[in-house]
Structure formats: structure tokens, C-alpha cells
């Protein structure tokens, strides 16, 4: 690392070379445009070399260079820890030979937080949305701004840039959950990261199979790490943000504890659906706005005709071996059309279009199920699991479907019958082969009836089981489906429950009286929350907590009215602390009003 940084410093090279770089840079600046492809970029560089005019752009370039030399790099971040930090930079530079970001210090540069060497314990921030992954850290190398004189002429990137790592761009679930959703909402967090923003992916991978999806985030072509060297040895981002918001992620992949929903989920279906809608608009798709699936209207029967079920199939691994039979059974059971989709056969846009109006999505466990975020409200997600895989342990799609406001109904089916599974012990280990293990271990795995809890990502027993093909037992599948459908909320009856919360109850008061030496009364009253008079709420209730001062426990009461006189368990000459809050529709809690101190 140090050696190549030295290379970056030494390579000022011939004057001619330096001049060319600054001409190139000047033109890049002038047209506010980085090339669309590496090839296009080469053209542009070539053309620029032949260009004789320096004009205004040259001046702008020198203004930028002077600003960098005088002010150095400026960084201000949010977040207390490296795991929740996003940093905004002026003039963050990148040395492509050293593959290092560079912070230039001058008297005017700013570095907040200024962590000293804690910046390396373990890093300034996570560059991907996966928490604290040791291959995804971001940091920079420091230099005095004065050293710029000895360095290659920088190329300035005029666009506001978002710098991040994609976590696993080969896998559709990871693309949406780890990259697209976090990038989308990071861009909403900082208003200058608009549709003209430039994304830079630093994880070092190639475009990958889903690059078109990343392109939907901004009108500008995203840049890959390997392309940065085309811009010269030293590249400076005039304005950039580094890192991704983790606010929208709901799943942890099991690096430190077995995989599962994140401990503190901060996203609801509302934000997921807004993201889905924005992505659809970018793909020029409009959802046929469902007249609430299956109900309400007089043309209810007509609609049934248009309803359909999707079977999302995989064509290389983790197959459903009797797909035709499954499709027939579904069509018969629900009297609906059944459509099959696969990532191998349809474009992403056409898949999304189909999913966005489907009534039910049936699929083997796998990344393709992330497309359920495009399902209409009220739809059903049916996830199938191969033999010996416990659906309760692998819940990225269940968690998604169950987010409040997602309004999806989730059902899982599991193959309990070993005769219906096909294993592949001789495949490569990453597709679940176990031939590389010693005999005893192979035998143990083959005899095991359920994969024990494990960490990501190379547990051979897990891979062996999850890459099995499955003959879906139709009676068992239909039984699970029928049972599961019983708990599906009826769209006719259950109006979409508002997620608006009550405000604080107002003017809470208490009055007390002593009846006898052992009996007393405590009357508590309050006014409705301010926002209630503007809302239509099905059921409004109040919760009152009464705690005798100094005790750890309290008595909770649920009341429909705005005052109540308590006499049970109320002692004379005692101080009670009383909390009151409003609850909408049984589950939507409001805040407690200031505590009342009531002395009998
Ligand atoms: N994939 C696919 N068809 C297949 C197997 C995989 O479309 O037959 C896709 C899958 O949806 C995912 C990627 O290839 O986007 C990687 O699949 P893998 O089985 O490794 O991951 P998983 O689906 O278990 O997350």
C-alpha cells in the first residue's frame, strides 16, 4: 500500500503528460459529464487530446485546483459509531495506483469526527449496508495539501457523488436489500444526491447481472472501481457522500449470530412500497391500481377472472421437480390462471410487471423471492423449503412480507419427506457438494433430519440441504396452503389500518378523597389527544397505569372513557404516580402524558 502511494506521488512525469491530464480534466469539468462507458471514456480522452481550446473550462479547473490546494479536504459526518456513519466530503481524492482515498490537510480542512487513531478501530465507516463487515470498511490516507505540487494533476469529478460498496451484486436479494434500497434512501437523506448524482461502487466487482437496476437510481452511469483509473492517477470528488444508510435493511445474514431479522427494524412497508413504486416508474411500469384485490366492488366476480397466481421457478438449482403438477393443483384449488416466471427467462421489468398485479406468489426459497416487494397489498407469498431446512431459521422473505404496512400474507411449506428430495453430494462445495468432507461427516450430514443453527456462509450441511431439488407433495402442500389461508385477513372486512399514532392525552388531572382509614378514591380524567378530532378512528381507548410511589410494579387499566374513579387497591394517605395514554384500534399506542402525582 505504501509502495504504490509513493508511485502516485512520484509519477508527475513529463510536463506534456501533466498538461494533457489537466486538459482532459478541464473538459470533463466543462461538460459536467463523465463518460458513459469505459470505451466511451477512451473516445472522449482521445478527442480531448486533439482539442486545442482550453477556454473557460481551463479557468474553472484552476479554480478547483486552487480550492483544493488552499482548503484541502473537508469532511463532516453523521453517526456516533462506524456502523451508523455517513460522511460528506468536499474534495475527497482517490489515488488509483495506490487504491486509496486521500484526505488533503491544509489550515482550512475539517475532519469531524476527528477520531485520531480510533479511525482505524476498526474503521471510519461501513462502506456497504451490512453492519460491521470487515471486508467493507472505508478509510482514507492523509497528506498535507502542499504535497499536491508533487503529485499528478488531479482530475475533478464535478457531480455530487455517492461512494459505496455493493455487497453481493450477483444475487438479486442482496442487490435490492443491501444496495438499492439503502442507496435510494441515502439519496433521499441528502437532497443534493438527486437524479443527477453519480454513484461509485468501490467493492471492486464487475457490473454483474443486475447492473441495469443500479442504473435506475440516477441518470448518470455508475462508475466501478476498476474504471476510476481511466480518469487518471489522482481523482478528486468535488462533493461526495461516503457510506450507506442502514435504516431500510431488515435482515442480518448470520456473520456473528445465526441469520435472522435485524434486532431493531426501522423500516415499514410504506417505505418499501414507495421504493418499489419509484423503481417501477423508472422502468416505465405502472401498477394496474388494484381495486383492492378480490373485493369491495360490485364487479367482484368479474375481477376474479383477472386474478392470477405466479409460480416463480428456478431453472438451475433448488428445483421444484413437479412444477407442472404444482401449477395444475394451484389452478384447480383457486380457480385462477397460473403463470410461471424465472429470472433466466424474463426481463426484470416484465417480471415486476407481472408480480405487481398478482394475487399469490409461490416460490422455492431463494433470492427471486425478493420480488415480493412488488406484490400488491393483500397478496399471498408462499415460500417452499427443501427437506431438513427449517423455515423459521431463514426468514428474509417472511420478515419482508410481515413488515407493518407491507400487507402481504406469508405462508411457508416444508418438505418433511426424505423420499421427495434429491441431493447433490458430488457437486462443488458452493453448490452444496460434500464429497470434500471426511466420510464420517458426510454420513452424519446425510442422516441429519434438520440443519442445526449455523453461521454464514460456508456451512456445508446448510449448503447441501438448501441446494436439494424437491418433489412437492401436492396434498401436503394444499393442506398447508388451506390452513395458511384461514388466517389471511379479509380485505372486505379489514380496512387498511391507519398507522397514525395518537398524540398525548391533554389536561390529565387527578382528584382524591379518603373514605375510611383503609379506603380511598382516586379519580383520573383527561381530554382527548389533539389530533383525534381530525381523524376517523375505529376504536379509541385509554390506558392508565397507577403505581404506588416507591413500588416497582404498577396496575394497568384499559378504559373506553375519559375519566374513571379507582377505589380498589387505593389506600389512604399514599402517593400514587399515574400515567395515561391513548390507544387507537387496540395496537397503535400513543405517548404517555406527563406523570401525575396524586396523594390520597
Ligand atoms: N438463480 C436463478 N435460478 C437458479 C438459481 C439461481 O435465477 O436456478 C439466481 C438467484 O435468484 C439469485 C442468484 O441466482 O439471484 C444466486 O442464487 P443462489 O442460489 O446462489 O442464492 P439464493 O437464491 O439462495 O439467495
Amino acid at each position: 500500500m505504501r509502495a504504490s502511494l509513493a508511485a502516485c506521488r512520484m509519477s508527475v512525469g513529463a510536463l506534456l503528460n501533466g498538461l494533457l491530464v489537466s486538459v482532459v480534466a478541464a473538459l470533463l469539468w466543462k461538460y459536467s459529464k463523465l463518460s458513459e462507458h469505459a470505451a466511451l471514456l477512451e473516445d472522449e480522452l482521445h478527442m480531448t487530446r486533439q482539442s486545442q481550446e482550453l477556454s473557460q473550462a481551463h479557468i474553472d479547473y484552476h479554480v478547483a485546483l486552487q480550492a483544493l490546494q488552499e482548503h484541502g479536504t473537508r469532511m463532516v459526518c453523521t453517526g456516533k459509531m462506524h456502523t451508523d456513519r455517513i460522511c460528506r466530503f468536499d474534495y475527497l481524492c482517490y489515488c488509483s495506483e495506490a487504491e486509496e482515498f486521500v484526505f488533503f490537510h491544509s489550515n482550512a480542512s475539517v475532519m469531524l469526527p476527528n477520531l485520531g487513531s480510533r479511525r482505524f478501530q476498526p474503521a471510519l465507516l461501513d462502506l456497504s449496508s451490512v453492519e460491521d463487515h470487515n471486508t467493507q470498511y472505508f478509510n482514507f490516507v492523509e497528506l498535507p495539501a502542499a504535497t499536491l505540487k508533487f503529485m499528478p494533476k488531479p482530475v475533478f469529478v464535478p457531480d455530487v457523488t455517492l461512494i459505496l460498496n455493493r455487497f453481493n451484486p450477483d444475487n438479486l436479494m442482496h442487490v435490492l436489500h443491501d444496495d438499492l434500497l439503502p442507496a435510494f434512501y441515502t439519496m433521499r437523506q441528502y437532497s443534493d444526491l438527486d437524479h443527477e448524482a453519480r454513484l461509485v461502487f468501490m467493492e471492486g466487482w464487475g457490473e454483474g447481472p443486475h447492473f441495469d437496476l443500479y442504473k435506475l437510481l440516477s441518470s448518470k452511469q455508475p462508475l466501478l472501481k476498476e474504471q476510476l483509473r481511466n480518469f487518471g492517477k489522482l481523482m478528486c470528488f468535488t462533493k461526495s457522500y461516503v457510506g450507506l444508510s442502514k435504516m431500510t435493511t431488515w435482515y442480518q445474514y448470520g456473520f456473528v449470530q445465526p441469520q435472522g431479522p435485524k434486532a431493531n427494524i426501522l423500516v415499514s412497508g410504506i417505505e418499501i412500497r414507495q421504493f418499489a413504486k419509484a423503481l417501477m416508474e423508472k422502468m416505465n411500469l405502472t401498477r394496474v391500481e388494484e381495486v383492492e384485490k378480490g373485493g369491495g366492488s360490485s364487479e367482484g366476480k368479474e375481477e376474479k377472472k383477472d386474478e392470477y397466481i405466479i409460480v416463480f421457478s428456478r431453472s438451475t438449482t433448488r428445483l421444484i421437480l413437479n412444477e407442472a403438477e404444482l401449477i395444475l393443483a394451484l389452478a384447480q384449488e383457486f380457480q385462477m390462471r397460473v403463470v410461471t416466471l424465472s429470472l433466466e427467462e424474463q426481463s426484470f421489468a416484465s417480471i415486476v410487471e407481472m408480480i405487481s398485479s398478482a394475487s399469490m406468489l409461490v416460490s422455492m426459497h431463494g433470492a427471486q423471492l425478493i420480488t415480493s416487494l412488488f406484490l400488491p397489498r393483500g397478496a399471498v407469498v408462499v415460500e417452499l423449503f427443501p427437506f431438513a431446512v427449517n423455515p423459521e431459521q431463514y426468514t428474509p422473505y417472511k420478515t419482508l412480507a410481515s413488515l407493518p404496512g407491507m400487507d402481504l400474507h406469508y405462508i411457508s411449506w416444508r418438505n418433511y419427506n426424505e423420499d421427495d428430495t434429491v441431493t447433490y453430494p458430488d457437486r462443488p462445495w458452493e453448490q452444496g457438494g460434500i464429497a470434500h468432507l471426511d466420510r464420517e461427516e458426510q454420513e452424519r450430514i446425510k442422516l441429519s433430519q434438520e440443519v442445526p443453527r449455523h453461521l454464514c456462509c460456508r456451512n456445508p450441511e446448510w449448503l447441501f440441504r438448501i441446494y436439494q431439488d424437491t418433489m412437492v407433495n401436492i396434498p401436503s402442500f394444499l393442506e398447508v396452503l388451506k390452513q395458511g389461508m384461514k388466517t389471511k385477513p379479509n380485505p372486505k372486512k379489514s380496512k387498511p389500518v391507519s398507522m397514525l399514532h395518537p398524540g398525548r392525552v391533554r389536561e390529565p388531572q387527578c382528584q382524591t378523597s379518603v373514605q375510611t382509614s383503609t379506603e380511598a378514591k382516586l379519580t383520573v380524567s383527561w381530554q382527548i389527544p389533539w389530533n383525534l378530532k381530525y381523524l376517523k378512528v375505529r376504536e379509541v381507548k385509554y390506558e392508565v397505569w397507577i403505581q404506588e410511589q416507591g413500588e416497582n410494579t404498577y396496575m394497568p387499566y384499559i378504559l373506553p372513557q375519559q375519566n374513571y374513579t379507582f377505589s380498589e387497591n387505593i389506600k389512604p394517605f399514599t402517593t400514587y404516580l399515574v400515567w395515561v395514554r391513548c390507544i387507537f384500534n387496540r395496537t397503535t399506542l400513543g405517548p404517555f402524558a406527563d406523570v401525575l402525582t396524586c396523594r390520597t
Side-chain angles (χ1 to χ4, degrees), residues 293-311:
K293 282 275 153 207
S297 65
S298 51
E299 55 285 334
K301 272 185 192 145
E302 290 270 320
E303 269 175 52
K304 188 104 183 170
K305 259 191 210 154
D306 302 336
E307 292 191 33
Y308 56 90
I309 297 172
I310 291 176
V311 172

Side-chain angles (χ1 to χ4, degrees), residues 21 24-25 28 34 61 153-157 231-232 234-237:
V21 173
V24 172
L28 283 173
L34 298 175
Y61 176 79
K153 280 271 175 288
V155 170
F156 290 98
V157 179
F231 292 84
L234 187 63
M235 190 173 182
C236 296
F237 299 93

Side-chain angles (χ1 to χ4, degrees), residues 289-457:
E289 216 42 84
E290 349 73 75
V291 195
E292 233 164 66
K293 282 275 153 207
S297 65
S298 51
E299 55 285 334
K301 272 185 192 145
E302 290 270 320
E303 269 175 52
K304 188 104 183 170
K305 259 191 210 154
D306 302 336
E307 292 191 33
Y308 56 90
I309 297 172
I310 291 176
V311 172
F312 210 139
S313 76
R314 297 169 58 109
S315 28
T316 56
T317 60
R318 207 177 304 146
L319 307 179
I320 298 168
L321 293 169
N322 54 338
E323 219 166 78
E325 199 186 355
L326 180 74
I327 288 166
L328 212 64
L330 283 165
Q332 266 170 10
E333 176 66 27
F334 294 95
Q335 293 296 305
M336 277 189 214
R337 195 152 60 92
V338 181
V339 183
T340 54
L341 296 179
S342 82
L343 288 174
E344 289 95 340
E345 269 155 54
Q346 279 92 11
S347 70
F348 185 76
S350 63
I351 287 172
V352 169
E353 187 171 27
M354 285 302 289
I355 290 196
S356 70
S357 303
S359 301
M360 182 183 286
L361 174 60
V362 180
S363 171
M364 194 51 87
H365 171 81
Q368 66 286 346
L369 266 166
I370 191 66
T371 55
S372 55
L373 67 82
F374 295 101
L375 281 169
R377 292 180 190 281
V380 182
V381 179
V382 187
E383 182 171 11
L384 313 178
F385 287 84
F387 179 75
V389 178
N390 183 345
E392 293 304 315
Q393 317 291 337
Y394 310 97
T395 56
Y397 313 111
K398 178 184 181 180
T399 307
L400 168 63
S402 313
L403 290 177
M406 212 48 217
D407 296 337
L408 295 174
H409 187 65
Y410 176 89
I411 299 171
S412 67
W413 174 88
R414 167 182 183 176
N415 175 19
Y416 277 107
N417 188 353
E418 199 161 1
D419 295 338
D420 291 341
T421 199
V422 176
T423 60
Y424 294 96
D426 297 322
R427 281 188 177 167
W429 71 266
E430 68 277 12
Q431 286 170 41
I434 52 172
H436 62 289
L437 303 175
D438 62 42
R439 283 254 158 261
E440 229 172 275
E441 182 63 359
Q442 291 186 34
E443 277 317 302
R444 187 195 64 74
I445 289 176
K446 284 180 181 166
L447 289 174
S448 164
Q449 298 291 297
E450 185 169 313
V451 180
R453 303 272 274 162
H454 58 90
L455 294 180
C456 188
C457 313

Side-chain angles (χ1 to χ4, degrees), residues 12-30:
V12 184
L15 180 67
L16 179 67
N17 194 22
L19 183 67
L20 278 176
V21 173
S22 76
V23 173
V24 172
L27 269 119
L28 283 173
W29 177 275
K30 183 176 176 186

Side-chain angles (χ1 to χ4, degrees), residues 42 56-57 63 87 107 124 199 210 243 263 457 484 558 582 599:
E42 297 303 328
Q56 185 64 35
V63 170
C87 293
N107 291 336
L124 179 61
L199 273 68
H210 306 290
C457 313
I558 299 278
C582 181
R599 171 117 191 124

